[in-house]
Each structure stands twice: as C-alpha cells, then as structure tokens.
Amino acid sequence: MNLPRLENSIIVHYGCSDFNFDEHKVYWIGAINHAPHKTYFFENRNEIEIIEKFGSYVKDNEDKTFIHWSMNSPKFGFRAIEKRYLNLTNNSIALDIKNEIDLSEYLKNKYTINYIEREGGRLNNLAKLNGFSGYKSDNEVININDATNRLELIFSIVQAEIQGNLKTLSDAHQQNEGKDPQIEE
C-alpha cells in the first residue's frame, strides 16, 4: 500500500494538554489540503468552536484521505476530540472520517518497527534524520508558530515518502548490508 497523492489527502494534527492530566483540552487543530494548491485549515480559538469548525471541515472533505500521526487512540485523536466536545457541551459530535491513514503505523508496516528510534519520539527523530523543521522538546505544542511547524513536519514526511525521498534508519541499515565491516571507507 502506498500513500495517496497529495491532492487526494489532508494532513491533520492537533495540540492538546499533557496526557498526564485527566482533562483533554484541545488547543488547536490544523490541516493541510493540497488540492490544487496548498491551503490551510487552522483553528485555535475557544475549544468548542475549534471542534465544531473541524467537524464541518471533515464533512466538507469527506472524499479525502486524512493522514495523521497516531490520532486513533482513546487518549489522542479523533475519539478523544469527540469525547472532549461531549464533556464541554453535553452534545455529541461525530468526526466521521471515512478514509484515514495513521502515518506512524504506515511507516512501521512499510519499513519495520525499527525504521527510526523511538526514544525522544519517532516524529522528532524523523525530523532530525531528514533535516525537517518541526522538532519539539515539550509535550504540549500550544503556540501558533510551533503548531504550524509541527503540522508542516507531518506534511514534509508525507511529501518525502510519496516522492521516495524519506530517510529512515532502515535505509542506513540496507546501505550497510553486504559491506565487509573490516573494510573502512
């Protein structure tokens, strides 16, 4: 399986409170659509508005494949956003995404689980290895600049993967296979 073309995809990510807290506060939700040119969806106002506008965005783009980084767990992602909305409003919202790809799982399946070091965060390590901006040291990404950089990082990873240019540790391992370790270059 390959990633869909950029014009058929939406890259999505969001920022929330630290996972060590019971409350899952949504700080921002961002998306990049590349059809026909790169456009952005970005909301960082009040939580209810952020979630409602994202819900409308999902409905307006139901024909696209949403590519995200690990947004399918109960603690982080679409279900967690729906739960937060319910907690805030006592109303439900359905983020019915028909086609989605968890980029983290996609890369593990394609390149093996050891495609990049896990310690320090796979996303951060991919950023470093590929020379992309968007590396973060804090658990929470709250300000607009850091949020945009994080969203752009995921876009850059997707773009590099589609173009066949994404560097992984699997690549370095394959390049070293077959070489005599006794011979220095």
Side-chain angles (χ1 to χ4, degrees):
M1 176 177 114
N2 292 322
L3 293 176
R5 296 169 50 105
L6 283 174
E7 55 268 16
N8 298 323
S9 306
I10 291 181
I11 312 306
V12 62
H13 200 58
Y14 80 109
C16 63
S17 52
D18 191 307
F19 297 131
N20 295 318
F21 298 115
D22 290 335
E23 183 180 60
H24 183 81
K25 185 171 182 174
V26 175
Y27 297 126
W28 58 271
I29 300 176
I32 298 175
N33 188 345
H34 203 278
H37 305 287
K38 193 174 181 185
T39 59
Y40 294 85
F41 166 89
F42 195 88
E43 290 295 327
N44 67 334
R45 296 184 192 102
N46 116 350
E47 278 185 276
I48 295 170
E49 284 183 44
I50 293 170
I51 297 168
E52 288 173 346
K53 288 188 178 198
F54 182 62
S56 295
Y57 185 78
V58 167
K59 285 178 188 170
D60 291 345
N61 291 284
E62 63 184 13
D63 60 324
K64 303 283 184 159
T65 299
F66 282 73
I67 301 174
H68 57 83
W69 191 269
S70 297
M71 285 180 56
N72 52 9
S73 77
K75 285 178 120 179
F76 181 77
F78 305 112
R79 302 304 71 88
I81 295 169
E82 289 172 342
K83 184 178 177 187
R84 179 63 177 163
Y85 187 79
L86 180 63
N87 290 342
L88 290 170
T89 66
N90 289 323
N91 295 311
S92 62
I93 190 167
L95 301 176
D96 293 326
I97 297 174
K98 293 173 180 38
N99 300 307
E100 55 99 4
I101 295 173
D102 180 342
L103 185 59
S104 176
E105 292 300 318
Y106 170 88
L107 294 172
K108 284 186 237 177
N109 288 330
K110 182 171 181 180
Y111 297 108
T112 78
I113 198 159
N114 296 318
Y115 75 96
I116 198 76
E117 290 180 34
R118 183 181 176 133
E119 188 172 330
R122 285 188 169 111
L123 199 50
N124 282 338
N125 291 329
L126 275 174
K128 285 185 211 173
L129 183 63
N130 285 278
F132 298 146
S133 62
Y135 177 90
K136 71 176 184 92
S137 55
D138 296 331
N139 285 336
E140 298 178 57
V141 176
I142 298 173
N143 74 53
I144 293 172
N145 188 46
D146 289 345
T148 303
N149 287 343
R150 202 63 171 171
L151 185 59
E152 286 288 345
L153 169 58
I154 297 170
F155 179 84
S156 295
I157 292 168
V158 169
Q159 191 172 41
E161 172 62 19
I162 289 170
Q163 294 172 352
N165 296 325
L166 185 67
K167 296 176 192 169
T168 68
L169 293 181
S170 299
D171 298 332
H173 177 71
Q174 288 172 352
Q175 289 172 358
N176 290 328
E177 281 182 359
K179 291 185 180 179
D180 187 339
Q182 304 284 330
I183 300 173
E184 290 185 21
E185 294 182 19

